[in-house]
Amino acid sequence: MDTQDARGRHPIGLLGLGVYLPERVMTNDEWSEHVDTSDEWIVARTGIRTRRIAGDEESTADLALAAARAALADGAFEPADIDEIVLATDTPEVFAPDTAAYVQARLGVGNIPCYDLAGSGCAGFVLALDIARSRALANGRRMLVIGVELITRLMNWKDRNTCVLFGDAAGAAVVGRGPGAVEILAATAGTDGTKSDILGLETGGTRQPVTMERVRQGLHKNLVMDGREVFRQAVHRMSAASLEVVSTAGVSMDDVALVVPHQANLRILNAVAARLGLSDERVFINVQKYGNTGSASVPVALWEARDVGLIKPGDLVLLTAFGAGFHWAAVLLRF
Ligand code: ACO
């Protein structure tokens, strides 16, 4: 399909996609050795069966770097072809500087600008895509967008309400103008800061610095979550953002071939599908294999949907995500 605009320019979109999944697979039965839980409970309440756990020698930048290299290779790019890096994570290499700086140095891209989009939870990658599109539009930049999470190292392995939900992963995309780009047709995003208390990772910061007392209480790794309220907000916001982005693009939900949502919980995904009137085969789901991988979840799901041949040229594919903040974002792509 010829997607050039009236001025003969190629569209702005995804020019390469890559992922990194740590080798170690952890089953639900293994969680029973750490907390009072069972495979039956986890599968029934979340749909999750396994997740990946990063190796002890791996850090966030390692995961991000591997996904970035895979995305560059996918688009046949060299590091020198990248003009800017935006990296979404809630589980950074260190507090400061940002993880993007470590990735920049090791990728060998030169002194290009790079920065993290931190704290936007699992909506981070989709928000970062929107930012990358704006930068490509305004400055002609070719952006490297990364979503990465090594959350199993910062969560509380003794809190059964949260620990069984998560996994580690990274996904990356090259975004810019070019022939064959998976066009970004429209994007939307929003935040409800009044809901900042329903989901968060309170591992230090100025409000609750790490002290010996907090470490003794196990509060230095504190993932706080009001599960039921997060569930409600997730369904509401991912559905609404999906409807908004198709409307902005001037199409309807019937035109969308595949929805690739943030993989938090199978029941959340089923509820979003029901609300949007989507049949099972129009919603991509891999939460059973990887659990909730935060900012990595959407790029990993998109990569896998493409890899298994679920996406055809010309298909409209909708990405939708929510995260701590409470943030939400959606992007409509044309393959
Ligand atoms: N194993 C066994 N029992 C458990 C476990 C576990 N791993 N975790 C909780 N329980 C217990 C609870 O203690 C509770 O016991 P009680 O009734 O004796 O108090 C019981 O199971 C039921 O708990 P509920 O909260 O009612 O369970 P619910 O059906 O709401 O499912 C869940 C909980 C899975 C957390 C659900 O609320 C949910 O998925 N919420 C959204 C989670 C989410 O997406 N978080 C986002 C993470 S970050 C992000 O994506 C941006």
Side-chain angles (χ1 to χ4, degrees):
M1 187 195 311
D2 182 8
T3 53
Q4 290 182 33
D5 68 14
R7 289 160 64 187
R9 293 178 311 180
H10 293 291
I12 289 172
L14 277 54
L15 300 164
L17 197 57
V19 300
Y20 176 72
L21 294 157
E23 253 176 59
R24 184 181 160 208
V25 177
M26 183 174 182
T27 63
N28 290 343
D29 285 337
E30 286 178 71
W31 268 118
S32 311
E33 296 161 20
H34 297 271
V35 288
D36 180 14
T37 191
S38 65
D39 180 53
E40 292 70 31
W41 192 96
I42 299 171
V43 172
R45 300 293 178 118
T46 73
I48 299 166
R49 293 178 184 275
T50 56
R51 70 285 292 144
R52 300 295 179 95
I53 310 282
D56 290 343
E57 73 294 348
E58 288 180 314
S59 64
T60 306
D62 294 319
L63 273 58
L65 189 66
R69 286 186 173 136
L72 290 181
D74 185 57
F77 291 111
E78 297 297 328
D81 297 326
I82 299 300
D83 301 315
E84 191 164 316
I85 300 172
V86 51
L87 182 149
T89 190
D90 279 1
T91 52
E93 187 81 357
V94 292
F95 219 34
D98 46 17
T99 307
Y102 291 95
V103 173
Q104 185 237 45
R106 290 171 60 192
L107 200 54
V109 287
N111 293 340
I112 61 171
C114 60
Y115 45 92
D116 278 10
L117 188 63
S120 44
C122 314
F125 180 84
V126 184
L127 273 172
L129 273 187
D130 188 11
I131 291 168
R133 181 176 75 136
S134 309
R135 300 287 288 165
L137 197 60
N139 301 331
R141 301 249 159 146
R142 190 176 294 127
M143 308 284 295
L144 177 60
V145 182
I146 303 171
V148 58
E149 230 67 73
L150 203 167
I151 193 160
T152 65
R153 198 164 298 160
L154 297 183
M155 69 187 189
N156 181 350
W157 280 54
K158 292 290 172 204
D159 176 12
R160 70 174 183 171
N161 291 300
T162 55
C163 66
V164 301
L165 303 174
F166 297 98
D168 304 325
V174 178
V175 174
R177 205 183 275 287
V182 173
E183 185 173 4
I184 300 176
L185 292 176
T188 186
T191 303
D192 179 0
T194 68
K195 298 269 185 305
S196 54
D197 289 341
I198 65 171
L199 185 59
L201 190 54
E202 297 183 356
T203 54
T206 55
R207 194 201 286 187
Q208 295 177 344
V210 177
T211 60
M212 283 308 286
E213 188 49 32
R214 287 184 66 78
V215 172
R216 249 181 244 117
Q217 294 171 20
L219 292 175
H220 60 303
K221 294 183 177 183
N222 195 22
L223 207 155
V224 291
M225 182 178 79
D226 175 347
R228 290 188 179 186
E229 183 57 14
V230 170
F231 196 113
R232 268 193 293 275
Q233 290 294 326
V235 174
H236 167 49
R237 295 304 186 180
M238 285 206 291
S239 307
S242 300
L243 292 171
E244 192 180 319
V245 81
V246 293
S247 158
T248 305
V251 298
S252 90
M253 199 53 79
D254 291 341
D255 300 318
V256 174
L258 190 68
V259 175
V260 179
H262 165 48
Q263 309 284 314
N265 177 318
L266 182 59
R267 286 157 61 216
I268 292 176
L269 302 184
N270 288 341
V272 170
R275 200 171 275 203
L276 295 176
L278 298 167
S279 54
D280 289 353
E281 62 278 7
R282 289 175 65 205
V283 181
F284 186 74
I285 293 176
N286 64 3
V287 69
Q288 68 281 6
K289 292 200 283 186
Y290 308 123
N292 181 345
T293 59
S295 294
S297 150
V298 168
V300 168
L302 182 63
W303 173 85
E304 195 162 296
R306 188 194 69 171
D307 193 54
V308 298
L310 284 179
I311 304 173
K312 301 186 302 300
D315 276 355
L316 296 189
V317 175
L318 194 160
L319 314 179
T320 183
F322 72 94
F326 205 84
H327 298 293
W328 56 90
V331 160
L332 187 67
L333 302 172
R334 177 166 52 207
F335 270 75

